[in-house]
Amino acid sequence: MRVMSGTRTSGALHLGHYLGWLSNCLKMQDQYDCYFGVMDWHGMTSAYKSTHEIPNWNRDIFAEMIAWGLDPEKSTMFIQSHVPEHIELFMIFSNLTPMGWLERVTTWKDAQEDAKANDTHNLGRFAYPVLQAADIAIYSGQLVPVGADQVSHLELTREIIRRFNHLYKAKLPEPKPLLTETPAFPGLDGRKMSKSYGNSILLSEESKSLKRKINSMVTDPQRALRENPGNPLVCNVYTYHKLFSSETDQKWTVEGCTTAGIGCGDCKAKLCGNIEQLIEKPREKKKELLNNPKQLDSIILAGCEKARTEASQNLKTIKQYMKLIV
Ligand code: TRP
Ligand code: SF4
């Protein structure tokens, strides 16, 4: 079984990336033959006005992935733009993709106003899912760990591949999404966690700012006074406890909150400690990696070469199916 996945280059990864994507990839690498990409061409669809940031973001994400346990010895890890075969296959797939299919993709259809406001109502963004289909097919990906927001992209990928197989009597595998069980993970303010809302906790958040961010979270307004009991079910801090704290700590929270046995400060301090415990080691490991740029670069280079060998072989097969070459 071939696993293929990636994350779009758009600045530092946050806890939402961990729960929705990275944690799933980590589970895959011991069982399957995995390809994990840092997708900078995808990043460019929104960052085309600040392309100077992209190389640094790529390295940051690459280091983060290793620091959290993705192992370049076990999995093939690469940067998308270093494997130009993606773009060739993207071009081939573009011809097989009717405009109507793309117009129906929810991430395009539902983001019209946003895209116009951000100056991203353009061909690159429109064709985003076609490039994603190429990313997957260039490695014959069969299983694709992604967040729930990516399901419509995977559907399109399957449609394109079916069409390809039909037209050229080919046998490219139809990939399936593999969704994390984690429910939607809200940002600090309760909205979707996103860099553009400034409501995220980074995977490499420093202790001090982690504390500051958690302390800034809004709690149950019933608990205006320390002696007022509250309802954890309406409190985002508790939502976080459910994701990052042990069952014992969750029970402690519910009991303490509903009986006013604990204050919100205690509750947040506990959460903060648990998140710190999760991110502390990878955060330090990432610093180490970034402090040794030569070593990191050679790991990146080796990964990209490995990916490229596989991609160029597959591209050749694809062109043979199309009778472009013999
Ligand atoms: N679109 C994905 C996201 O935003 C990133 C991505 C690009 C990807 N190419 C991919 C994911 C191929 C899986 C497979 O998260
Ligand atoms: Fe929220 Fe915890 Fe305060 Fe209860 S005690 S309102 S769960 S922060």
Side-chain angles (χ1 to χ4, degrees):
M1 198 69 130
R2 175 66 64 82
V3 170
M4 200 283 140
S5 191
T7 190
R8 190 168 71 92
T9 298
S10 66
L13 300 185
H14 53 62
L15 281 175
H17 290 111
Y18 172 70
L19 293 174
W21 177 69
L22 189 53
S23 60
N24 229 355
C25 294
L26 285 166
K27 281 185 223 147
M28 299 289 111
Q29 71 171 353
D30 290 319
Q31 297 174 52
Y32 302 112
D33 176 23
C34 297
Y35 283 74
F36 297 125
V38 177
M39 305 306 192
D40 53 349
W41 283 121
H42 279 116
M44 210 182 290
T45 62
S46 53
Y48 67 91
K49 289 179 184 168
S50 46
T51 43
H52 62 283
E53 310 237 50
I54 289 178
N56 283 334
W57 286 344
N58 281 343
R59 306 179 83 256
D60 188 274
I61 295 170
F62 210 104
E64 192 95 77
M65 284 158 65
I66 297 176
W68 280 75
L70 290 184
D71 182 349
E73 298 287 323
K74 289 184 194 157
S75 303
T76 305
M77 295 167 62
F78 63 91
I79 294 174
Q80 186 187 35
S81 67
H82 295 19
V83 187
E85 285 78 5
H86 288 238
I87 305 299
E88 261 193 83
L89 184 55
F90 161 71
M91 206 57 231
I92 292 171
F93 279 175
S94 293
N95 301 297
L96 272 61
T97 314
M99 307 275 277
W101 289 7
L102 288 175
E103 278 157 3
R104 281 197 300 274
V105 172
T106 48
T107 50
W108 172 260
K109 203 177 62 185
D110 302 343
Q112 293 293 298
E113 294 315 309
D114 245 26
K116 282 176 190 156
N118 302 330
D119 242 354
T120 56
H121 199 262
N122 56 39
L123 180 59
R125 168 94 191 260
F126 186 57
Y128 182 113
V130 184
L131 178 57
Q132 187 162 349
D135 295 338
I136 298 168
I138 200 81
Y139 301 108
S140 313
Q142 292 164 290
L143 213 53
V144 187
V146 279
D149 60 324
Q150 296 295 311
V151 169
S152 67
H153 293 171
L154 264 289
E155 264 161 28
L156 187 88
T157 300
R158 293 161 65 86
E159 277 181 296
I160 294 173
I161 288 178
R162 272 201 287 272
R163 182 131 200 257
F164 184 95
N165 285 343
H166 177 75
L167 280 173
Y168 307 114
K169 299 184 181 43
K171 287 194 173 61
L172 306 183
E174 286 180 32
K176 289 192 184 67
L178 184 84
L179 301 181
T180 356
E181 281 150 38
T182 317
F185 172 50
L188 291 161
D189 56 1
R191 291 187 294 170
K192 181 182 185 233
M193 186 169 277
S194 153
K195 201 183 65 165
S196 48
Y197 293 155
N199 64 357
S200 55
I201 297 176
L202 300 182
L203 286 183
S204 50
E205 197 74 52
E206 291 293 341
S207 312
K208 254 198 194 151
S209 58
L210 177 65
K211 270 193 197 124
R212 186 173 45 76
K213 285 184 172 180
I214 293 197
N215 281 332
S216 76
M217 287 175 81
V218 174
T219 62
D220 180 0
Q222 300 285 351
R223 296 215 66 186
L225 296 175
R226 166 72 175 74
E227 57 268 29
N228 299 145
N231 176 8
L233 295 177
V234 303
C235 179
N236 206 17
V237 177
Y238 181 60
T239 308
Y240 276 42
H241 269 298
K242 281 192 287 190
L243 296 166
F244 300 107
S245 299
S246 65
E247 276 187 21
T248 318
D249 284 356
Q250 291 177 37
K251 263 193 204 145
W252 172 87
T253 304
V254 173
E255 219 165 274
C257 179
T258 52
T259 60
I262 57 168
C264 291
D266 307 319
C267 185
K268 286 175 169 178
K270 176 83 85 188
L271 173 67
C272 198
N274 291 338
I275 296 180
E276 172 70 15
Q277 209 181 9
L278 173 74
I279 70 176
E280 186 183 11
K281 275 207 190 107
R283 185 180 63 213
E284 302 311 315
K285 168 93 185 155
K286 180 184 170 192
K287 280 184 203 157
E288 238 175 82
L289 287 160
L290 290 174
N291 281 336
N292 288 300
K294 275 204 184 124
Q295 197 194 352
L296 179 61
D297 283 343
S298 77
I299 298 175
I300 295 177
L301 193 72
C304 293
E305 273 174 10
K306 225 165 111 194
R308 210 169 168 197
T309 305
E310 174 71 16
S312 59
Q313 244 162 38
N314 276 333
L315 187 61
K316 193 173 156 206
T317 310
I318 284 166
K319 287 181 177 172
Q320 282 167 338
Y321 279 133
M322 297 170 79
K323 310 248 174 348
L324 288 170
I325 54 173
V326 284

